[in-house]
Amino acid sequence: MEFLITTVVAYLVYLLLTIGSGTVALWSTAELIIGAVLAVVVGAVLRNRFIGKDLRMLNPKRWFIFLVYLFPFVWAMARANIDVAYRVITGRINPAIVKIDPKLKNDMSLTILANSITLTPGTLSVDVRPETNELYVHWINVDPEVLKDMPRDYHPICGSFPDWARRIAG
Amino acid sequence: MTALNVATYVFIGIGLFFNYVGAFGLHRFPDVYTRLHAATKCTTFGSIFLILAVVMQSAGMWAVEGTHSPQSIMTIHSLLALVALMVTNATGAHAMARAAHRSGEKPARAVVDDLEKKEND
């Protein structure tokens, strides 16, 4: 199973990279054959490395949720850029490094969350504590209300992104 | 075709503006973390628009020239570059911020530093 998935993914990437090389659909016959051979080799070598034991990302429902997630994500990204542009021009910053506990269980969802945090308004993920899955986030404009109690509320910092990450890969 | 050209120019303008803001932020901000804010967010967003402008132009030519046009290479490779950019930019910023904090760089004007407390524990 792992061999099959790795081979198919490798072949798809090869096809994307060699698109436009000929006239069988969009590829030349030579590229199709070489790609298949190389994909089998890659699948045989990397079958235990590429996905490990976890097959949950195969579920097409998770891919669909990921595509839906791109819309609020791009919207947050646009706001992030206007926010940074405002701070670049006015120089108004009030930064801190805060610890949040997004209560995520696995590496994939934590990666999605950390990358989303970096690209969305006012926050940048700095460090992670792997044993408890807590994130340390550099926050450019601190809300003093959040700093009062110690298990910090993550909603003012990263909104509903932890819930999205849990739905995609949790 | 003209509507496509106008949209392309608008996208290039937006992309250049945000890339400029990112470069300007590198000069304005006081320390490495805030500079990373400017450098990652703005350059990623600006580059998305620049790449989308390339994709629109090449996809337009692909549609005109037919299925076997070499413009398909440009379109698909630009989209692949976009995906790679969005993943690696955020990850690279994270790596730089972590390395900076581990080598003792303090966030300028910081109110709270939870990570500092963890290292002192």
Side-chain angles (χ1 to χ4, degrees):
Chain A
M1 192 64 187
E2 285 87 356
F3 167 73
L4 194 67
I5 298 163
T6 315
T7 307
V8 168
V9 171
Y11 195 40
L12 285 179
V13 172
Y14 191 88
L15 288 185
L16 279 180
L17 283 172
T18 55
I19 201 167
S21 58
T23 49
V24 188
L26 285 165
W27 296 273
S28 65
T29 325
E31 293 284 14
L32 287 174
I33 295 168
I34 293 171
V37 171
L38 287 177
V40 168
V41 171
V42 168
V45 173
L46 294 179
R47 66 175 182 279
N48 294 326
R49 299 239 166 188
F50 181 56
I51 41 176
K53 297 265 175 287
D54 201 355
L55 297 177
R56 71 177 78 202
M57 286 312 287
L58 278 181
N59 189 344
K61 192 171 139 231
R62 295 181 187 278
W63 288 89
F64 179 72
I65 297 173
F66 180 74
L67 289 180
V68 175
Y69 167 65
L70 286 181
F71 290 97
F73 176 67
V74 169
W75 170 238
M77 222 169 142
R79 280 194 300 132
N81 280 277
I82 292 162
D83 180 72
V84 169
Y86 166 78
R87 285 182 205 294
V88 165
I89 292 163
T90 59
R92 255 179 232 162
I93 55 167
N94 187 22
I97 293 185
V98 293
K99 181 172 84 174
I100 60 169
D101 182 9
K103 299 193 174 59
L104 295 173
K105 298 287 188 297
N106 61 359
D107 290 350
M108 185 71 189
S109 52
L110 203 62
T111 310
I112 293 175
L113 177 66
N115 276 6
S116 304
I117 279 178
T118 299
L119 292 174
T120 50
T123 48
L124 177 79
S125 46
V126 174
D127 206 347
V128 61
R129 189 183 257 188
E131 57 267 27
T132 54
N133 282 350
E134 288 162 326
L135 279 174
Y136 292 89
V137 175
H138 184 268
W139 195 7
I140 204 169
N141 191 32
V142 170
D143 180 358
E145 290 293 312
V146 183
L147 296 180
K148 281 175 188 162
D149 37 40
M150 195 39 212
R152 314 225 190 266
D153 181 17
Y154 60 70
H155 286 100
I157 300 171
C158 48
S160 58
F161 287 135
D163 306 327
W164 281 102
R166 198 174 300 121
R167 264 174 250 153
I168 292 167
Chain B
M1 199 59 194
T2 43
L4 189 66
N5 279 344
V6 170
T8 308
Y9 282 127
V10 169
F11 272 39
I12 290 177
I14 295 173
L16 285 180
F17 171 74
F18 280 114
N19 270 329
Y20 174 75
V21 167
F24 196 55
L26 281 177
H27 286 279
R28 288 273 295 176
F29 281 148
D31 71 329
V32 62
Y33 304 103
T34 41
R35 281 178 183 168
L36 276 175
H37 274 278
T40 53
K41 292 193 227 303
C42 292
T43 52
T44 312
F45 198 64
S47 304
I48 285 175
F49 276 97
L50 291 179
I51 292 175
L52 282 182
V54 173
V55 169
M56 280 185 344
Q57 277 295 315
S58 58
M61 280 190 244
W62 189 6
V64 171
E65 290 172 17
T67 319
H68 299 299
S69 155
Q71 293 297 331
S72 58
I73 304 173
M74 183 76 101
T75 311
I76 299 297
H77 284 199
S78 306
L79 285 175
L80 283 178
L82 179 60
V83 172
L85 189 88
M86 283 181 72
V87 176
T88 54
N89 231 345
T91 315
H94 168 64
M96 275 188 268
R98 186 161 179 265
H101 205 283
R102 295 217 157 180
S103 58
E105 179 79 23
K106 298 281 175 292
R109 291 193 251 155
V111 209
V112 180
D113 191 347
D114 286 345
L115 190 53
E116 185 82 70
K117 282 183 211 146
K118 174 195 133 185
E119 279 161 7
N120 291 339
D121 281 346

